C-alpha cells in the first residue's frame, strides 16, 4: 500500500476510534436518586440506632453492591442551598443561594449543562426547590415549592398539571416513563429523581399506614437532652418534639373540631387539614380509618410530660420511616427498570439526600445545625465494575464534590472555579495523598422557621468548632472521638485553648481558601423566644 493511502487509512481509523459516538459508549449513565431530609441514621446500611427497624432494604442492597461514604457532609444544612451547591460545585456564598428564600440563578454554570455539552441526555423529576424553570435538562417536571404528598401539582415545560397519586410514586412513574419511552438509545444519560419524602409533614403512602404498628421504634439516646453544655442558641431553637411539634399539624392527631376545618384565607392554615384537604374522598377514608383507633387510644391515655414526648416521638418516627419506606421502594423499582431495559451494567446509581435530620436526636426534628445528625448526608454509589461491592469509604466528602464527580465520570473537563473535588479516585478505591483534612460549613437562614441562628464552622476527622456570630461571640468545640453525641462543649474549658486556637486558624484558612467574605461581624441580637422553662441560661 502506498504510504499516502496508509496514512489516510490510519487517520480514518483514528477518527472512528475517537468519534463522539464511540466516546459516548464509554460514558456511563448516571441515575441520581435524591430525597429530602433523609438522615443517614434512617438507612440500615449506615448502622445507626434505627438499624433494627430495617428501614431501607433496597438502599442497603445498593450499598452492598457498591460504596458507602461514612463521612459525607453538606456545606449548609438546608434544602435549596444544598441543591444549589450540588448544581454548581460551589459553596452558597459563591452560587448566591444561601437561604430557601433566595432565587437560584439558572443562567450560571451548572453541571447538567456541562454534561449536555459532553453528549449526555439529561432529565430531572421531583423536588427542585430552586425556583424558576430548570435549565440544563432535556426534560423535566418539578414540584412547585415544597410540593404536596397527595395528588400533587407538577410543573412541566408546557405548564402546570395535577397528577393523582402519592408523590413518591408519581415522581418514580415519571422517571420510569422517561427511561422507557423518552431516553434515546445510544446516548448516555443523567437523570435526577428527587423525592419530596421524607420531608415534613410526614405523610406516608396509604399502603404504609400500618407499617410499624406492632413495634416500638427505638429512642435516640439524646431524646431528653437539655442542651446544658451548649452555647445559648441550642436553648432558643424552635424545633423540639416537646414544645414545637404540633399534635394536629405535624402528627395528624384528630383534635376535633379542628380536624375538618377549611383552610384559612388569611394565613397558612396550621392544621392537619392544610395537607389532608388535597386527598380524594377515598384516600381520606383510608387515612382516617388508619389513624382513628390510634387517636382514640391517645385521647384515653391523657399523657403528659415525658410520656407525651415519648408518644409524639413514636408517632413522628413511624410516619417519617413510613415515608422513607416509599423512597426505598422507589429505589428498588428504578433499579428493576434499569435491569429490564438492559441498562443496569452501564448505569451508576447514586443515593443521597439534601441533608441529615433529627429524628428525636437531642429532642429535635428538622435540620440546619452543624451538629452531626443534620451535617451528614447519605452518599452511596453503585458503579458496576468500579466500586468494590460492600466497600465503605472514610474520606471527608461533601455535596460540594458531586458536580465535579459527575463531570469526571463523563470525561468532561472540571471548570477551575468549582470548589470541590472529583470523588472518582475514591470510587476506584484509591487514597489520594492530598485529600482534604477538614470541611467548611456555613448556615445563613435567620431569623426564620425553627430559629436556628447563623453559624459557620470546621469539622476535621476528630474535632468540630462552630461559631454563632449573631448573638455576640458564641463558640462550641467538640471532640467527636470521645463525645460523638456532642454533649460536652469544650470551648473555653481548661486545657483546650491551644486546640481551639489551632482549629480557629484552620477555619480562617478555609474561609480564605473558599473566599467566604460574607458578613460575619458579631451583631448582638435579641432572642425572639424565652428559653425553655426550667432550663438555666448559663452564658
Ligand atoms: C418548611 C417546613 C419547615 C422546614 C422548611 C425548610 N415547615 O417551612 O419545617 O424547615 O420547610 O425545609 S412546613 O410546615 O411547611 O413543612 S427544606 O427541606 O425545604 O429546607
Ligand atoms: Ca431538605
Amino acid at each position: 500500500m502506498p504510504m499516502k493511502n496508509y496514512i489516510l487509512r490510519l487517520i480514518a481509523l483514528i477518527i472512528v476510534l475517537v468519534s463522539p459516538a464511540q466516546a459516548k459508549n464509554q460514558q456511563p449513565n448516571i441515575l441520581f436518586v435524591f430525597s429530602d431530609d433523609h438522615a443517614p441514621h434512617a438507612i440500615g446500611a449506615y448502622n445507626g440506632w434505627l438499624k433494627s427497624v430495617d428501614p431501607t432494604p433496597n438502599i442497603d442492597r445498593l450499598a452492598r453492591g457498591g460504596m458507602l461514604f461514612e463521612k459525607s457532609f453538606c456545606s449548609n444544612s438546608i434544602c435549596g442551598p444544598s441543591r444549589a451547591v450540588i448544581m454548581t460545585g460551589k459553596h452558597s456564598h459563591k452560587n448566591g443561594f444561601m437561604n430557601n428564600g433566595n432565587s437560584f440563578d439558572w443562567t450560571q454554570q451548572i453541571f447538567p449543562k456541562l454534561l449536555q455539552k459532553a453528549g449526555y441526555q439529561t432529565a430531572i423529576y421531583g423536588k427542585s426547590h430552586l425556583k424558576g424553570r430548570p435549565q440544563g435538562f432535556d426534560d423535566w417536571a418539578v414540584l412547585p415549592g415544597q410540593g404536596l404528598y397527595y395528588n400533587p401539582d407538577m410543573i412541566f415545560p408546557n405548564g402546570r398539571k395535577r397528577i393523582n397519586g402519592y408523590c413518591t410514586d408519581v415522581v418514580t412513574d415519571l422517571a420510569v416513563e422517561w427511561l422507557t419511552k423518552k431516553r434515546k438509545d445510544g446516548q448516555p444519560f443523567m437523570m435526577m429523581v428527587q423525592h419530596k419524602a421524607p420531608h415534613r409533614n410526614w405523610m406516608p403512602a396509604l399502603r404504609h399506614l400500618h407499617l410499624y404498628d406492632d413495634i416500638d421504634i427505638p429512642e435516640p439516646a439524646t431524646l431528653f437532652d437539655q442542651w446544658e453544655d451548649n452555647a445559648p442558641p441550642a436553648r432558643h431553637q424552635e424545633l423540639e418534639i416537646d414544645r414545637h411539634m404540633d399534635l394536629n399539624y405535624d402528627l395528624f392527631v384528630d383534635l376535633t373540631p379542628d380536624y375538618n376545618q377549611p383552610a384559612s384565607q388569611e394565613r397558612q392554615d396550621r392544621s392537619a387539614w392544610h395537607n389532608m384537604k388535597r386527598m380524594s374522598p377515598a384516600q381520606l377514608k383510608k387515612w382516617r380509618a388508619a389513624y382513628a383507633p390510634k387517636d382514640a387510644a391517645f385521647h384515653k391515655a391523657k399523657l403528659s410530660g415525658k410520656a407525651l414526648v415519648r408518644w409524639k416521638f413514636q408517632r413522628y418516627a413511624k410516619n417519617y420511616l413510613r415515608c422513607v419506606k416509599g423512597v426505598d421502594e422507589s429505589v428498588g423499582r428504578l433499579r428493576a427498570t434499569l435491569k429490564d431495559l438492559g441498562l443496569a451494567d452501564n448505569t451508576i446509581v447514586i443515593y443521597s439526600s439534601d441533608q441529615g435530620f433529627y429524628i428525636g436526636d437531642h429532642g429535635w426534628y428538622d435540620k440546619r445545625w452543624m451538629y452531626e445528625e443534620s451535617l451528614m448526608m447519605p452518599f452511596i454509589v453503585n458503579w458496576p465494575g468500579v466500586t468494590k461491592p460492600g466497600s465503605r469509604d472514610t474520606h471527608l466528602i461533601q455535596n460540594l464534590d458531586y458536580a465535579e464527580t459527575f463531570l469526571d465520570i463523563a470525561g468532561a473537563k472540571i471548570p477551575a472555579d468549582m470548589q470541590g473535588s472529583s470523588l472518582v479516585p475514591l470510587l476506584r478505591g484509591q487514597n489520594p495523598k492530598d485529600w482534604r483534612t477538614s470541611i467548611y460549613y456555613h448556615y445563613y437562614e435567620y431569623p426564620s422557621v425553627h430559629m436556628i441562628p447563623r453559624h459557620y464552622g470546621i469539622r476535621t476527622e476528630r474535632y468540630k468548632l462552630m461559631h454563632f456570630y449573631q448573638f455576640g461571640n458564641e463558640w462550641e468545640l467538640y471532640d467527636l472521638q470521645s463525645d460523638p453525641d456532642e454533649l460536652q462543649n469544650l470551648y473555653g474549658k481548661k486545657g483546650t485553648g491551644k486546640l481551639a486556637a489551632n482549629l480557629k486558624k484552620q477555619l480562617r484558612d478555609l474561609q480564605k481558601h473558599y473566599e467566604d467574605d460574607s458578613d460575619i461581624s458579631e451583631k448582638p441580637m435579641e432572642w425572639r423566644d424565652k428559653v425553655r422553662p426550667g432550663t438555666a441560661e448559663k452564658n
Side-chain angles (χ1 to χ4, degrees):
M1 188 190 306
M3 193 61 173
K4 200 173 148 205
N5 272 359
Y6 176 77
I7 289 173
L8 283 177
R9 279 190 181 201
L10 197 66
I11 289 171
L13 184 72
I14 290 169
I15 288 172
V16 167
L17 282 178
V18 300
S19 73
Q22 189 67 26
K24 274 175 201 159
N25 282 340
Q26 283 149 20
Q27 291 174 307
N29 307 311
I30 303 168
L31 171 58
F32 182 70
V33 188
F34 192 67
S35 57
D36 197 349
D37 295 357
H38 191 180
H41 57 293
I43 292 177
Y46 271 90
N47 295 330
W49 53 268
L50 284 163
K51 188 182 169 69
S52 62
V53 178
D54 190 19
T56 52
N58 286 297
I59 299 173
D60 298 353
R61 206 165 294 132
L62 187 75
R64 278 200 300 279
M67 183 177 278
L68 175 147
F69 287 78
E70 289 185 350
K71 293 182 183 153
S72 153
F73 306 102
C74 60
S75 49
N76 181 357
S77 181
I78 186 155
C79 190
S82 176
R83 290 151 202 260
V85 169
I86 291 172
M87 283 289 173
T88 59
K90 294 176 185 170
H91 274 287
S92 305
H93 61 276
K94 287 281 180 192
N95 68 47
F97 199 101
M98 293 144 96
N99 304 308
N100 274 340
N102 294 141
S103 288
F104 186 66
D105 173 10
W106 281 102
T107 65
Q108 67 184 303
Q109 167 186 282
I110 52 173
F111 84 84
K113 292 184 191 171
L114 299 174
L115 283 185
Q116 282 180 322
K117 278 196 192 137
Y120 274 68
Q121 189 186 2
T122 60
I124 184 169
Y125 299 107
K127 184 171 170 184
S128 140
H129 215 194
L130 292 176
K131 300 178 194 156
R133 289 171 72 87
Q135 292 185 25
F137 295 96
D138 297 310
D139 194 38
W140 53 269
V142 293
L143 293 159
Q146 297 284 3
L148 294 169
Y149 272 112
Y150 277 87
N151 312 322
D153 274 1
M154 291 203 74
I155 305 169
F156 295 82
N158 59 0
R160 189 167 164 145
K161 206 163 72 188
R162 172 183 168 130
I163 308 190
N164 288 330
Y166 179 66
C167 191
T168 308
D169 300 338
V170 165
V171 169
T172 311
D173 288 345
L174 286 167
V176 168
E177 189 193 352
W178 187 85
L179 283 170
T180 324
K181 297 192 189 142
K182 299 187 182 168
R183 182 188 51 88
K184 291 189 191 125
D185 264 337
Q187 191 181 357
F189 70 81
M190 187 284 301
M191 177 165 63
M192 304 174 87
V193 184
Q194 309 209 146
H195 292 299
K196 168 190 174 63
H199 190 276
R200 194 185 185 196
N201 307 32
W202 311 276
M203 295 179 85
L206 296 176
R207 65 182 178 280
H208 295 141
L209 286 179
H210 290 287
L211 192 66
Y212 310 128
D213 267 2
D214 49 354
I215 61 162
D216 280 337
I217 305 293
E219 288 174 1
T222 56
L223 182 59
F224 295 103
D225 190 2
Q226 296 288 294
W227 326 287
E228 281 156 285
D229 223 19
N230 301 66
R235 291 182 289 280
H236 288 272
Q237 40 63 35
E238 296 180 12
L239 38 71
E240 286 165 42
I241 291 186
D242 185 2
R243 287 194 302 162
H244 308 112
M245 183 173 270
D246 191 90
L247 278 170
N248 182 245
Y249 179 65
D250 285 311
L251 300 176
F252 299 94
V253 176
D254 178 0
L255 300 178
T256 315
D258 191 40
Y259 201 44
N260 280 311
Q261 80 178 34
S264 152
Q265 298 303 301
E266 282 120 58
R267 59 183 178 87
Q268 192 197 338
D269 177 2
R270 301 300 290 182
S271 76
W273 186 245
H274 174 70
N275 289 303
M276 288 168 64
K277 67 184 179 210
R278 187 72 180 191
M279 292 177 162
S280 70
Q283 288 168 336
L284 205 49
K285 201 170 158 208
K286 283 197 179 149
W287 180 274
R288 286 188 164 141
Y291 286 109
K294 296 168 187 166
D295 292 357
F298 169 73
H299 289 305
K300 209 169 145 209
K302 299 201 183 336
L303 305 171
S304 63
K306 281 194 174 176
L308 178 57
V309 173
R310 293 207 145 101
W311 188 91
K312 287 171 88 177
F313 165 75
Q314 288 297 325
R315 176 85 149 216
Y316 158 49
K318 285 182 183 181
N319 279 348
Y320 177 92
L321 292 172
R322 288 166 182 149
C323 291
V324 164
K325 192 66 165 186
V327 172
D328 187 69
E329 287 178 357
S330 166
V331 171
R333 212 180 129 202
L334 289 165
R335 291 190 79 196
T337 306
L338 290 177
K339 210 167 157 209
D340 290 349
L341 295 172
L343 294 167
D345 289 346
N346 196 30
T347 303
I348 304 174
V349 180
I350 302 174
Y351 184 76
S352 180
S353 186
D354 56 354
Q355 2 74 204
F357 212 66
Y358 298 91
I359 311 166
D361 316 79
H362 299 286
W364 294 332
Y365 63 100
D366 213 68
K367 53 262 178 175
R368 300 162 190 268
W369 301 107
M370 198 193 164
Y371 303 122
E372 291 291 272
E373 291 84 353
S374 48
L375 179 66
M376 282 190 66
M377 293 170 78
F379 196 69
I380 297 171
V381 184
N382 191 310
W383 185 350
V386 174
T387 45
K388 191 170 158 229
S391 51
R392 301 175 83 90
D393 183 277
T394 55
H395 291 87
L396 302 176
I397 69 153
Q398 288 198 278
N399 50 352
L400 190 66
D401 304 322
Y402 298 4
E404 296 80 342
T405 306
F406 297 148
L407 293 172
D408 202 4
I409 286 170
K413 197 169 166 281
I414 301 170
D417 61 351
M418 285 193 173
Q419 297 183 305
S421 304
S422 164
L423 303 172
V424 168
L426 309 186
L427 294 170
R428 293 192 188 284
Q430 295 160 7
N431 180 20
K433 288 275 163 313
D434 54 352
W435 196 257
R436 67 167 72 86
T437 53
S438 60
I439 59 140
Y440 181 61
Y441 182 87
H442 200 156
Y443 169 82
Y444 302 86
E445 196 177 291
Y446 187 90
S448 174
V449 57
H450 304 303
M451 297 302 276
I452 310 306
R454 292 182 176 206
H455 56 292
Y456 61 82
I458 177 174
R459 188 207 190 276
T460 66
E461 281 287 339
R462 178 163 176 189
Y463 297 106
K464 186 183 293 178
L465 181 75
M466 310 156 60
H467 186 201
F468 297 89
Y469 53 88
Q470 288 174 297
F471 297 87
N473 200 16
E474 299 292 351
W475 293 82
E476 291 188 6
L477 168 60
Y478 295 99
D479 180 345
L480 300 166
Q481 196 172 295
S482 61
D483 178 26
D485 287 335
E486 299 166 289
L487 297 171
Q488 293 161 344
N489 176 15
L490 300 176
Y491 193 83
K493 300 247 165 85
K494 219 174 139 201
T496 62
K498 252 197 190 151
L499 173 65
N502 179 291
L503 286 166
K504 255 185 214 177
K505 155 120 196 5
Q506 290 186 53
L507 177 55
R508 297 299 173 218
D509 288 347
L510 282 180
Q511 286 177 323
K512 257 186 233 143
H513 174 74
Y514 291 122
E515 300 176 330
D516 185 0
D517 52 8
S518 332
D519 179 9
I520 50 172
S521 50
E522 291 150 16
K523 294 181 206 122
M525 284 178 76
E526 293 279 313
W527 294 106
R528 182 169 86 174
D529 240 33
K530 296 260 178 301
V531 290
R532 180 190 174 84
T535 310
E537 187 53 274
K538 288 169 52 162
N539 298 311

